[in-house]
Every structure is written in C-alpha cells, then in structure tokens.
Amino acid sequence: MTTTPRALNRSTLARQLLLDRATIDVGDAVRRVVALQAQQPGSPYVALWNRVTDFDPERLDEALAGFELVRSTLMRLTLHVVHAEDYRAFREGMEPTLRGSRLHDPRYKAAGFTAADADALLPRLLEYAGEARTGALMRECLEAARGGPVEAVVWRMIRQYAPLWHAPSGPPWSFGTAQSFVTASTLPVLADPDAAAAGLAVLLRRYLEGFGPASVPDMAQFTTAPRGRVREAVRLLEGDLVQSEGQGGTVLYDVPGAPLPDGETPAPPRLMAMWDSVLLAYADRGRMIPPEYRKHVIRVNGDTLPTLLVDGYVAGVWRPVEGGIEASAFHPLSARVWEELAGEAEALDTFLAARDPRVYGRYDHWWVKGLPTVETRVFTGR
C-alpha cells in the first residue's frame, strides 16, 4: 500500500485533533497528541485551544498544579508537557540522548565535571527536591554537595538531565520567570541500556499513534535518538506494526487501526502555537510546511513561529498585536479562507485577552526583519 503525501498530512491532522476539535479532558487530550512543546509557557495552552472543544485554561492550570500533567526536558532536548503516567517510559527512552548531550557537553566537562560526578550528586539533589524548590535553592544544594561553587552551565546541564519536573510558579501560564523544580514522583531507571531500549519502544509506539505513519528518520527527528537506536526499537515493535510505502519508496511504520483519512478530507484553518509539535515531529517537514516556507517559519536559531494552517499546510504566520491578532499570508488566500481565519483569530484573541494578549510579543523581531507576506489582516474578538 502506498500512502500519498496529502494522506500523510491528513493523518497527522486527524491524530493531532486538528481536523475537528475534540470534546475531551485536557489529560486525555495530551495523551492523544503524545506531548506538547512547552519551552514557551503559553504554547501548551494555545495548542490545546486548537484541539479541545471549549478549552478551559484553568483545567490545564489544575492538571499542572496537581502533577497530572508534567513539564520536563524530554524529546529533542526541549521542554515538553506530557501525562505523568507517560513520563517514566518517555524519560527512560530518552536517557542515552540526554545523558550524552548533557553530561558529556564540552562546557560541562570544561568546568571540571564528569558523568560520574552527576551520578554521585543526583541522590542528594533528588531527595532535596522531594518538595518544590526554587532554582536558586537547588543550585545551593548542588554546591553544598560538591563542596564548592558550581558554574551556571553545570547546574543547567544537571537540571536538564535529572528526572525533575518543573513546579508551577505563577500566572498567566502556570510557569513564570522564577523556575522551581520537584523530583518526579516515579523515578525512571537511569544509565540502564535495557530500560532505555524498552522505554524508547514505548515512546515510538506512542509517537506512531499520535503522528504516524512515519519513517525511521521521522522517529529519530521527533526524539533526537540516533537512527540505529530507533531501528532497534522498531525491531522490538515490528510484530505489532504495519508498513506502507511513502513517496520515493520510503518505508512508513504505523500502528494497526489508526486513523488514515483520505487526502482530500477537508481541513479547517488553524492558528498554531509557537513550536507546535506538528511542525517539528518529522524529518520530512514537507508533511506540514511547504519547502519554500520552511526557513521563514523555522528560524536559524530554532525559533518556530506561530503559523496559519490552510488546507492542512502552513500558509503564513500570526502574532498578537495591540488591538487583536495579526494574520499574514505567504500566498494569496480566497475570501472564504480569510473569513474562516477571521473566526479563528477572533476566538483566539478573546482567549488570549483574559491571560496574556501579547503572549509572543518578545518574538516581534522576526517580523521586523521581514517575512515574505503578501497580505496582512488584523482581527479582534474583544
């Protein structure tokens, strides 16, 4: 069976709750979409607004405050919100990547630290973080255990490696500027190849449920795990997976019975969050981003701008401005599409107004530097 590029696009939209908003609790929604990119604190809220019918941001506040959903460094070495029940397997699957990138970073080693030092320091640090502690207190604990000053880069590498959850620290998006941390309630097994292999297999199966069909390079892109590790994990799963052929003969893997909408299934416009996972979860970014727009959406430093999806594909960008939501198209759009975008933008403006009307204001410099837009409109729901 051959799967067309448009069918792959529609599969992603269906599994990511972007063809139709779902009447679903936020905890179940996060499990359905696997994980939410969360380095920008407002983005999980915007991501769920796009996916959940009548989304109530206070419900996400509650889920994060109660650690039903947790924020931690995971896939692609960035912050994600995942369900607490998924955290252990996901973290074990990411262990070799996190350990290699954090505890063997040249800056960490140049400061006089080794992986063995981190292993020795972690028990005391995790015990201390049995209740939420500020980053400053955690660094002091690390220095006391070390018996001397610890450079900022060392604390950064250890906190990103350690099985720590970010503790909510303030409005409007649960995580304010002052970071606090708490030890994961169920600790993952670290530095164990068997646990890592089993965890990666769980993570990749969940990835296929939420993003499939997908290739080995796609799975490696989503996790930042080496392709060799991904192939081994796929071999562990192979009896439970189905295969199809993608463009150019690419082998695609999937879970049996997962949604596979026809490529011509209608896709409503959406205003996607910064760093939304659908833009970053594939080696083939063309599944969602036309190649000619990629460099405008994913900037040289990794910033991934809030985008307009039209007919399932990136067609422009949006940002909050004084007075509403500014939507800018990379190519001409029909009057009907603009009308549909207006409805989404007005609803999003109303949603943001109650929390942070300028949620992405710090990224305005990308617009100042210039984007290849052909038409811009401002919509207000206030």
Side-chain angles (χ1 to χ4, degrees):
M1 181 178 68
T2 300
T3 307
T4 68
R6 281 187 64 88
L8 290 176
N9 172 273
R10 292 321 195 245
S11 172
T12 297
L13 296 176
R15 299 184 199 194
Q16 288 291 306
L17 308 180
L18 292 169
L19 285 182
D20 295 289
R21 287 182 171 90
T23 304
I24 190 172
D25 182 69
V26 297
D28 293 331
V30 171
R31 295 206 80 178
R32 284 274 295 274
V33 302
V34 187
L36 297 173
Q37 287 271 149
Q39 62 265 51
Q40 211 292 335
S43 281
Y45 292 80
V46 178
L48 288 174
W49 174 84
N50 272 294
R51 292 164 165 89
V52 175
T53 304
D54 299 323
F55 170 61
D56 181 357
E58 291 186 3
R59 176 66 190 101
L60 180 53
D61 294 340
E62 294 166 359
L64 291 165
F67 297 105
E68 174 191 356
L69 299 174
V70 298
R71 184 184 191 231
S72 190
T73 302
L74 287 167
M75 290 73 74
R76 297 188 298 284
L77 310 177
T78 60
L79 290 169
H80 283 77
V81 167
V82 300
H83 199 284
E85 293 178 5
D86 289 328
Y87 173 77
R88 177 176 175 174
F90 288 7
R91 177 60 183 81
E92 287 174 349
M94 289 302 303
E95 164 65 12
T97 300
L98 284 167
R99 188 175 183 86
S101 66
R102 305 297 85 174
L103 303 188
H104 294 278
D105 185 286
R107 295 165 294 175
Y108 176 83
K109 295 170 72 175
F113 276 74
T114 66
D117 292 328
D119 293 337
L121 292 166
L122 274 181
R124 180 169 173 177
L125 194 67
L126 295 177
E127 181 181 5
Y128 182 64
E131 61 183 72
R133 308 283 188 179
T134 66
L137 289 174
M138 291 286 283
R139 186 173 173 183
E140 288 177 8
C141 175
L142 188 62
E143 290 178 331
R146 179 70 170 178
V150 170
E151 292 185 24
V153 68
V154 172
W155 160 232
R156 184 169 73 252
M157 295 300 171
I158 288 180
R159 78 167 183 256
Q160 291 174 353
Y161 172 71
L164 295 169
W165 295 343
H166 288 229
S169 55
W173 306 114
S174 286
F175 300 100
T177 55
Q179 292 186 323
S180 293
F181 303 89
V182 65
T183 300
S185 61
T186 302
L187 288 175
V189 177
L190 304 182
D192 183 317
D194 292 336
L200 185 60
V202 171
L203 173 55
L204 292 183
R205 181 179 175 85
R206 291 294 311 287
Y207 166 78
L208 292 174
E209 290 172 357
F211 293 93
S215 66
V216 165
D218 290 331
M219 290 182 255
Q221 169 64 31
F222 177 75
T223 58
T224 57
R227 292 186 185 184
R229 283 196 68 222
V230 170
R231 291 190 187 95
E232 287 298 321
V234 168
R235 276 193 277 273
L236 288 176
L237 294 168
E238 208 154 22
D240 298 325
L241 302 180
V242 295
Q243 295 184 29
S244 63
E245 184 178 301
Q247 195 170 30
T250 302
V251 177
L252 301 172
Y253 297 90
D254 204 0
V255 291
L260 286 169
D262 182 87
E264 299 310 310
T265 301
R270 291 284 185 259
L271 278 71
M272 305 300 288
M274 281 197 78
W275 288 287
D276 196 281
S277 294
V278 298
L279 306 181
L280 301 169
Y282 304 101
D284 178 10
R285 303 295 174 87
R287 184 181 292 214
M288 306 297 300
I289 309 174
E292 62 271 27
Y293 300 153
R294 176 173 172 172
K295 67 180 180 180
H296 305 302
V297 170
I298 302 177
R299 309 303 297 192
V300 291
N301 69 341
D303 282 353
T304 303
L305 302 187
T307 55
L308 308 177
L309 287 191
V310 174
D311 189 31
Y313 294 92
V314 169
V317 292
W318 68 270
R319 61 172 174 162
V321 295
E322 294 298 329
I325 299 294
E326 179 188 275
S328 300
F330 292 152
H331 58 254
L333 303 177
S334 69
R336 178 186 60 81
V337 169
W338 276 117
E339 182 178 355
E340 292 173 341
L341 284 170
E344 290 289 305
E346 290 164 8
L348 179 57
D349 184 47
T350 300
F351 173 77
L352 293 177
R355 290 249 165 172
D356 182 7
R358 295 282 286 125
V359 59
Y360 297 136
R362 62 176 290 191
Y363 302 99
D364 279 350
H365 59 277
W366 293 121
W367 278 258
V368 173
K369 291 176 182 178
L371 292 164
T373 56
V374 300
E375 185 174 4
T376 295
R377 301 187 184 187
V378 176
F379 305 101
T380 182
R382 287 170 272 177

PDB file of all heavy atoms in Angstrom, residues 245-276:
ATOM      1  N   GLU A 245       4.222   2.205   2.013  1.00  0.00           N
ATOM      2  CA  GLU A 245       5.265   2.866   1.234  1.00  0.00           C
ATOM      3  C   GLU A 245       4.894   4.321   1.043  1.00  0.00           C
ATOM      4  O   GLU A 245       3.773   4.653   0.669  1.00  0.00           O
ATOM      5  CB  GLU A 245       5.420   2.182  -0.120  1.00  0.00           C
ATOM      6  CG  GLU A 245       6.553   2.747  -0.967  1.00  0.00           C
ATOM      7  CD  GLU A 245       6.704   1.991  -2.287  1.00  0.00           C
ATOM      8  OE1 GLU A 245       6.938   0.769  -2.245  1.00  0.00           O
ATOM      9  OE2 GLU A 245       6.576   2.629  -3.338  1.00  0.00           O
ATOM     10  N   GLY A 246       5.840   5.191   1.326  1.00  0.00           N
ATOM     11  CA  GLY A 246       5.626   6.609   1.115  1.00  0.00           C
ATOM     12  C   GLY A 246       6.274   7.080  -0.162  1.00  0.00           C
ATOM     13  O   GLY A 246       6.740   6.280  -0.989  1.00  0.00           O
ATOM     14  N   GLN A 247       6.326   8.398  -0.329  1.00  0.00           N
ATOM     15  CA  GLN A 247       6.905   8.981  -1.527  1.00  0.00           C
ATOM     16  C   GLN A 247       8.357   8.551  -1.679  1.00  0.00           C
ATOM     17  O   GLN A 247       9.118   8.522  -0.714  1.00  0.00           O
ATOM     18  CB  GLN A 247       6.803  10.500  -1.447  1.00  0.00           C
ATOM     19  CG  GLN A 247       7.025  11.218  -2.758  1.00  0.00           C
ATOM     20  CD  GLN A 247       6.676  12.684  -2.640  1.00  0.00           C
ATOM     21  OE1 GLN A 247       6.795  13.282  -1.568  1.00  0.00           O
ATOM     22  NE2 GLN A 247       6.238  13.281  -3.743  1.00  0.00           N
ATOM     23  N   GLY A 248       8.743   8.174  -2.896  1.00  0.00           N
ATOM     24  CA  GLY A 248      10.119   7.762  -3.151  1.00  0.00           C
ATOM     25  C   GLY A 248      10.473   6.402  -2.584  1.00  0.00           C
ATOM     26  O   GLY A 248      11.658   6.076  -2.442  1.00  0.00           O
ATOM     27  N   GLY A 249       9.473   5.608  -2.237  1.00  0.00           N
ATOM     28  CA  GLY A 249       9.728   4.272  -1.708  1.00  0.00           C
ATOM     29  C   GLY A 249      10.074   4.236  -0.236  1.00  0.00           C
ATOM     30  O   GLY A 249      10.492   3.181   0.279  1.00  0.00           O
ATOM     31  N   THR A 250       9.901   5.343   0.487  1.00  0.00           N
ATOM     32  CA  THR A 250      10.200   5.375   1.917  1.00  0.00           C
ATOM     33  C   THR A 250       9.324   4.383   2.669  1.00  0.00           C
ATOM     34  O   THR A 250       8.111   4.306   2.433  1.00  0.00           O
ATOM     35  CB  THR A 250       9.947   6.790   2.480  1.00  0.00           C
ATOM     36  OG1 THR A 250      10.764   7.714   1.769  1.00  0.00           O
ATOM     37  CG2 THR A 250      10.257   6.861   3.956  1.00  0.00           C
ATOM     38  N   VAL A 251       9.928   3.614   3.570  1.00  0.00           N
ATOM     39  CA  VAL A 251       9.175   2.682   4.406  1.00  0.00           C
ATOM     40  C   VAL A 251       8.559   3.453   5.564  1.00  0.00           C
ATOM     41  O   VAL A 251       9.257   4.139   6.320  1.00  0.00           O
ATOM     42  CB  VAL A 251      10.072   1.553   4.943  1.00  0.00           C
ATOM     43  CG1 VAL A 251       9.276   0.630   5.872  1.00  0.00           C
ATOM     44  CG2 VAL A 251      10.664   0.754   3.792  1.00  0.00           C
ATOM     45  N   LEU A 252       7.236   3.343   5.687  1.00  0.00           N
ATOM     46  CA  LEU A 252       6.498   4.006   6.754  1.00  0.00           C
ATOM     47  C   LEU A 252       5.935   2.958   7.708  1.00  0.00           C
ATOM     48  O   LEU A 252       5.410   1.927   7.271  1.00  0.00           O
ATOM     49  CB  LEU A 252       5.353   4.835   6.179  1.00  0.00           C
ATOM     50  CG  LEU A 252       5.738   5.931   5.181  1.00  0.00           C
ATOM     51  CD1 LEU A 252       4.483   6.533   4.557  1.00  0.00           C
ATOM     52  CD2 LEU A 252       6.568   7.017   5.863  1.00  0.00           C
ATOM     53  N   TYR A 253       6.030   3.237   8.993  1.00  0.00           N
ATOM     54  CA  TYR A 253       5.508   2.334  10.020  1.00  0.00           C
ATOM     55  C   TYR A 253       4.296   2.975  10.672  1.00  0.00           C
ATOM     56  O   TYR A 253       4.160   4.197  10.751  1.00  0.00           O
ATOM     57  CB  TYR A 253       6.575   2.060  11.081  1.00  0.00           C
ATOM     58  CG  TYR A 253       7.790   1.343  10.542  1.00  0.00           C
ATOM     59  CD1 TYR A 253       8.877   2.062  10.053  1.00  0.00           C
ATOM     60  CD2 TYR A 253       7.844  -0.045  10.512  1.00  0.00           C
ATOM     61  CE1 TYR A 253       9.994   1.413   9.548  1.00  0.00           C
ATOM     62  CE2 TYR A 253       8.962  -0.707  10.006  1.00  0.00           C
ATOM     63  CZ  TYR A 253      10.034   0.024   9.528  1.00  0.00           C
ATOM     64  OH  TYR A 253      11.138  -0.617   9.023  1.00  0.00           O
ATOM     65  N   ASP A 254       3.409   2.097  11.190  1.00  0.00           N
ATOM     66  CA  ASP A 254       2.214   2.608  11.846  1.00  0.00           C
ATOM     67  C   ASP A 254       1.655   1.545  12.778  1.00  0.00           C
ATOM     68  O   ASP A 254       2.067   0.364  12.740  1.00  0.00           O
ATOM     69  CB  ASP A 254       1.165   2.990  10.793  1.00  0.00           C
ATOM     70  CG  ASP A 254       0.176   4.036  11.295  1.00  0.00           C
ATOM     71  OD1 ASP A 254       0.298   4.473  12.454  1.00  0.00           O
ATOM     72  OD2 ASP A 254      -0.725   4.413  10.520  1.00  0.00           O
ATOM     73  N   VAL A 255       0.719   1.973  13.628  1.00  0.00           N
ATOM     74  CA  VAL A 255       0.012   1.037  14.485  1.00  0.00           C
ATOM     75  C   VAL A 255      -1.262   0.607  13.770  1.00  0.00           C
ATOM     76  O   VAL A 255      -1.906   1.421  13.090  1.00  0.00           O
ATOM     77  CB  VAL A 255      -0.308   1.665  15.853  1.00  0.00           C
ATOM     78  CG1 VAL A 255       0.968   1.883  16.646  1.00  0.00           C
ATOM     79  CG2 VAL A 255      -1.047   2.981  15.708  1.00  0.00           C
ATOM     80  N   PRO A 256      -1.637  -0.644  13.876  1.00  0.00           N
ATOM     81  CA  PRO A 256      -2.844  -1.111  13.174  1.00  0.00           C
ATOM     82  C   PRO A 256      -4.089  -0.363  13.639  1.00  0.00           C
ATOM     83  O   PRO A 256      -4.252  -0.053  14.819  1.00  0.00           O
ATOM     84  CB  PRO A 256      -2.923  -2.597  13.561  1.00  0.00           C
ATOM     85  CG  PRO A 256      -1.552  -2.968  14.013  1.00  0.00           C
ATOM     86  CD  PRO A 256      -0.969  -1.730  14.617  1.00  0.00           C
ATOM     87  N   GLY A 257      -4.952  -0.054  12.684  1.00  0.00           N
ATOM     88  CA  GLY A 257      -6.248   0.536  13.008  1.00  0.00           C
ATOM     89  C   GLY A 257      -6.239   2.010  13.302  1.00  0.00           C
ATOM     90  O   GLY A 257      -7.282   2.581  13.649  1.00  0.00           O
ATOM     91  N   ALA A 258      -5.095   2.674  13.172  1.00  0.00           N
ATOM     92  CA  ALA A 258      -5.036   4.111  13.452  1.00  0.00           C
ATOM     93  C   ALA A 258      -5.717   4.891  12.321  1.00  0.00           C
ATOM     94  O   ALA A 258      -5.810   4.417  11.188  1.00  0.00           O
ATOM     95  CB  ALA A 258      -3.586   4.557  13.598  1.00  0.00           C
ATOM     96  N   PRO A 259      -6.194   6.100  12.602  1.00  0.00           N
ATOM     97  CA  PRO A 259      -6.899   6.885  11.573  1.00  0.00           C
ATOM     98  C   PRO A 259      -6.027   7.155  10.356  1.00  0.00           C
ATOM     99  O   PRO A 259      -4.870   7.557  10.475  1.00  0.00           O
ATOM    100  CB  PRO A 259      -7.224   8.198  12.300  1.00  0.00           C
ATOM    101  CG  PRO A 259      -7.246   7.840  13.750  1.00  0.00           C
ATOM    102  CD  PRO A 259      -6.202   6.773  13.909  1.00  0.00           C
ATOM    103  N   LEU A 260      -6.613   6.942   9.170  1.00  0.00           N
ATOM    104  CA  LEU A 260      -5.938   7.231   7.900  1.00  0.00           C
ATOM    105  C   LEU A 260      -6.942   7.907   6.969  1.00  0.00           C
ATOM    106  O   LEU A 260      -7.440   7.293   6.026  1.00  0.00           O
ATOM    107  CB  LEU A 260      -5.406   5.944   7.267  1.00  0.00           C
ATOM    108  CG  LEU A 260      -4.168   5.306   7.902  1.00  0.00           C
ATOM    109  CD1 LEU A 260      -3.929   3.908   7.327  1.00  0.00           C
ATOM    110  CD2 LEU A 260      -2.945   6.187   7.664  1.00  0.00           C
ATOM    111  N   PRO A 261      -7.252   9.170   7.202  1.00  0.00           N
ATOM    112  CA  PRO A 261      -8.236   9.852   6.360  1.00  0.00           C
ATOM    113  C   PRO A 261      -7.760   9.975   4.919  1.00  0.00           C
ATOM    114  O   PRO A 261      -6.558   9.993   4.644  1.00  0.00           O
ATOM    115  CB  PRO A 261      -8.355  11.246   7.004  1.00  0.00           C
ATOM    116  CG  PRO A 261      -7.704  11.138   8.334  1.00  0.00           C
ATOM    117  CD  PRO A 261      -6.692  10.046   8.229  1.00  0.00           C
ATOM    118  N   ASP A 262      -8.714  10.087   4.041  1.00  0.00           N
ATOM    119  CA  ASP A 262      -8.400  10.336   2.644  1.00  0.00           C
ATOM    120  C   ASP A 262      -7.705  11.689   2.504  1.00  0.00           C
ATOM    121  O   ASP A 262      -7.983  12.630   3.246  1.00  0.00           O
ATOM    122  CB  ASP A 262      -9.702  10.341   1.832  1.00  0.00           C
ATOM    123  CG  ASP A 262      -9.453  10.544   0.349  1.00  0.00           C
ATOM    124  OD1 ASP A 262      -9.216   9.547  -0.349  1.00  0.00           O
ATOM    125  OD2 ASP A 262      -9.470  11.712  -0.089  1.00  0.00           O
ATOM    126  N   GLY A 263      -6.809  11.782   1.524  1.00  0.00           N
ATOM    127  CA  GLY A 263      -6.057  13.008   1.325  1.00  0.00           C
ATOM    128  C   GLY A 263      -6.907  14.219   0.986  1.00  0.00           C
ATOM    129  O   GLY A 263      -6.456  15.361   1.137  1.00  0.00           O
ATOM    130  N   GLU A 264      -8.116  13.997   0.526  1.00  0.00           N
ATOM    131  CA  GLU A 264      -8.995  15.114   0.176  1.00  0.00           C
ATOM    132  C   GLU A 264      -9.959  15.468   1.298  1.00  0.00           C
ATOM    133  O   GLU A 264     -10.860  16.298   1.109  1.00  0.00           O
ATOM    134  CB  GLU A 264      -9.774  14.777  -1.100  1.00  0.00           C
ATOM    135  CG  GLU A 264      -8.874  14.536  -2.308  1.00  0.00           C
ATOM    136  CD  GLU A 264      -7.839  15.647  -2.502  1.00  0.00           C
ATOM    137  OE1 GLU A 264      -8.233  16.836  -2.487  1.00  0.00           O
ATOM    138  OE2 GLU A 264      -6.647  15.319  -2.657  1.00  0.00           O
ATOM    139  N   THR A 265      -9.794  14.889   2.468  1.00  0.00           N
ATOM    140  CA  THR A 265     -10.622  15.251   3.616  1.00  0.00           C
ATOM    141  C   THR A 265     -10.470  16.743   3.912  1.00  0.00           C
ATOM    142  O   THR A 265      -9.344  17.247   4.011  1.00  0.00           O
ATOM    143  CB  THR A 265     -10.203  14.441   4.854  1.00  0.00           C
ATOM    144  OG1 THR A 265     -10.335  13.047   4.564  1.00  0.00           O
ATOM    145  CG2 THR A 265     -11.056  14.794   6.060  1.00  0.00           C
ATOM    146  N   PRO A 266     -11.567  17.478   4.058  1.00  0.00           N
ATOM    147  CA  PRO A 266     -11.450  18.920   4.333  1.00  0.00           C
ATOM    148  C   PRO A 266     -10.705  19.169   5.647  1.00  0.00           C
ATOM    149  O   PRO A 266     -10.885  18.459   6.634  1.00  0.00           O
ATOM    150  CB  PRO A 266     -12.910  19.386   4.427  1.00  0.00           C
ATOM    151  CG  PRO A 266     -13.684  18.361   3.677  1.00  0.00           C
ATOM    152  CD  PRO A 266     -12.970  17.055   3.887  1.00  0.00           C
ATOM    153  N   ALA A 267      -9.860  20.196   5.643  1.00  0.00           N
ATOM    154  CA  ALA A 267      -9.092  20.573   6.828  1.00  0.00           C
ATOM    155  C   ALA A 267      -9.362  22.033   7.137  1.00  0.00           C
ATOM    156  O   ALA A 267      -9.051  22.908   6.333  1.00  0.00           O
ATOM    157  CB  ALA A 267      -7.601  20.341   6.599  1.00  0.00           C
ATOM    158  N   PRO A 268      -9.920  22.349   8.300  1.00  0.00           N
ATOM    159  CA  PRO A 268     -10.234  23.743   8.621  1.00  0.00           C
ATOM    160  C   PRO A 268      -8.982  24.539   8.936  1.00  0.00           C
ATOM    161  O   PRO A 268      -7.957  23.980   9.350  1.00  0.00           O
ATOM    162  CB  PRO A 268     -11.119  23.614   9.870  1.00  0.00           C
ATOM    163  CG  PRO A 268     -10.658  22.342  10.512  1.00  0.00           C
ATOM    164  CD  PRO A 268     -10.291  21.424   9.384  1.00  0.00           C
ATOM    165  N   PRO A 269      -9.006  25.851   8.750  1.00  0.00           N
ATOM    166  CA  PRO A 269      -7.857  26.684   9.124  1.00  0.00           C
ATOM    167  C   PRO A 269      -7.601  26.625  10.624  1.00  0.00           C
ATOM    168  O   PRO A 269      -8.529  26.453  11.423  1.00  0.00           O
ATOM    169  CB  PRO A 269      -8.280  28.094   8.694  1.00  0.00           C
ATOM    170  CG  PRO A 269      -9.346  27.895   7.678  1.00  0.00           C
ATOM    171  CD  PRO A 269     -10.065  26.651   8.099  1.00  0.00           C
ATOM    172  N   ARG A 270      -6.353  26.767  11.000  1.00  0.00           N
ATOM    173  CA  ARG A 270      -5.962  26.792  12.396  1.00  0.00           C
ATOM    174  C   ARG A 270      -4.858  27.832  12.589  1.00  0.00           C
ATOM    175  O   ARG A 270      -4.059  28.082  11.669  1.00  0.00           O
ATOM    176  CB  ARG A 270      -5.447  25.429  12.848  1.00  0.00           C
ATOM    177  CG  ARG A 270      -6.518  24.339  12.926  1.00  0.00           C
ATOM    178  CD  ARG A 270      -7.386  24.511  14.149  1.00  0.00           C
ATOM    179  NE  ARG A 270      -8.336  23.416  14.305  1.00  0.00           N
ATOM    180  CZ  ARG A 270      -9.622  23.485  13.968  1.00  0.00           C
ATOM    181  NH1 ARG A 270     -10.102  24.613  13.439  1.00  0.00           N
ATOM    182  NH2 ARG A 270     -10.424  22.455  14.150  1.00  0.00           N
ATOM    183  N   LEU A 271      -4.792  28.408  13.796  1.00  0.00           N
ATOM    184  CA  LEU A 271      -3.716  29.320  14.175  1.00  0.00           C
ATOM    185  C   LEU A 271      -2.879  28.589  15.212  1.00  0.00           C
ATOM    186  O   LEU A 271      -3.255  28.497  16.378  1.00  0.00           O
ATOM    187  CB  LEU A 271      -4.274  30.628  14.745  1.00  0.00           C
ATOM    188  CG  LEU A 271      -4.713  31.685  13.728  1.00  0.00           C
ATOM    189  CD1 LEU A 271      -5.983  31.258  12.994  1.00  0.00           C
ATOM    190  CD2 LEU A 271      -4.946  33.029  14.408  1.00  0.00           C
ATOM    191  N   MET A 272      -1.735  28.044  14.771  1.00  0.00           N
ATOM    192  CA  MET A 272      -0.965  27.122  15.582  1.00  0.00           C
ATOM    193  C   MET A 272      -0.024  27.860  16.536  1.00  0.00           C
ATOM    194  O   MET A 272       0.482  28.945  16.248  1.00  0.00           O
ATOM    195  CB  MET A 272      -0.151  26.195  14.676  1.00  0.00           C
ATOM    196  CG  MET A 272      -0.983  25.451  13.636  1.00  0.00           C
ATOM    197  SD  MET A 272      -2.237  24.395  14.382  1.00  0.00           S
ATOM    198  CE  MET A 272      -1.188  23.100  15.036  1.00  0.00           C
ATOM    199  N   ALA A 273       0.244  27.213  17.670  1.00  0.00           N
ATOM    200  CA  ALA A 273       1.151  27.765  18.671  1.00  0.00           C
ATOM    201  C   ALA A 273       2.592  27.789  18.162  1.00  0.00           C
ATOM    202  O   ALA A 273       2.962  27.042  17.247  1.00  0.00           O
ATOM    203  CB  ALA A 273       1.088  26.921  19.947  1.00  0.00           C
ATOM    204  N   MET A 274       3.422  28.644  18.775  1.00  0.00           N
ATOM    205  CA  MET A 274       4.867  28.559  18.524  1.00  0.00           C
ATOM    206  C   MET A 274       5.357  27.172  18.897  1.00  0.00           C
ATOM    207  O   MET A 274       4.937  26.594  19.900  1.00  0.00           O
ATOM    208  CB  MET A 274       5.622  29.598  19.351  1.00  0.00           C
ATOM    209  CG  MET A 274       5.590  30.999  18.790  1.00  0.00           C
ATOM    210  SD  MET A 274       6.866  32.079  19.501  1.00  0.00           S
ATOM    211  CE  MET A 274       8.337  31.533  18.615  1.00  0.00           C
ATOM    212  N   TRP A 275       6.261  26.649  18.100  1.00  0.00           N
ATOM    213  CA  TRP A 275       6.864  25.337  18.323  1.00  0.00           C
ATOM    214  C   TRP A 275       5.827  24.206  18.359  1.00  0.00           C
ATOM    215  O   TRP A 275       6.066  23.170  18.975  1.00  0.00           O
ATOM    216  CB  TRP A 275       7.679  25.302  19.618  1.00  0.00           C
ATOM    217  CG  TRP A 275       8.963  26.043  19.578  1.00  0.00           C
ATOM    218  CD1 TRP A 275      10.106  25.678  18.927  1.00  0.00           C
ATOM    219  CD2 TRP A 275       9.282  27.283  20.228  1.00  0.00           C
ATOM    220  NE1 TRP A 275      11.093  26.605  19.132  1.00  0.00           N
ATOM    221  CE2 TRP A 275      10.620  27.605  19.935  1.00  0.00           C
ATOM    222  CE3 TRP A 275       8.553  28.149  21.045  1.00  0.00           C
ATOM    223  CZ2 TRP A 275      11.238  28.748  20.406  1.00  0.00           C
ATOM    224  CZ3 TRP A 275       9.163  29.290  21.513  1.00  0.00           C
ATOM    225  CH2 TRP A 275      10.491  29.584  21.197  1.00  0.00           C
ATOM    226  N   ASP A 276       4.697  24.387  17.703  1.00  0.00           N
ATOM    227  CA  ASP A 276       3.731  23.283  17.749  1.00  0.00           C
ATOM    228  C   ASP A 276       4.382  22.011  17.229  1.00  0.00           C
ATOM    229  O   ASP A 276       5.117  22.013  16.229  1.00  0.00           O
ATOM    230  CB  ASP A 276       2.492  23.599  16.926  1.00  0.00           C
ATOM    231  CG  ASP A 276       1.343  22.671  17.277  1.00  0.00           C
ATOM    232  OD1 ASP A 276       1.340  21.516  16.806  1.00  0.00           O
ATOM    233  OD2 ASP A 276       0.457  23.092  18.049  1.00  0.00           O
TER     234      ASP A 276
END
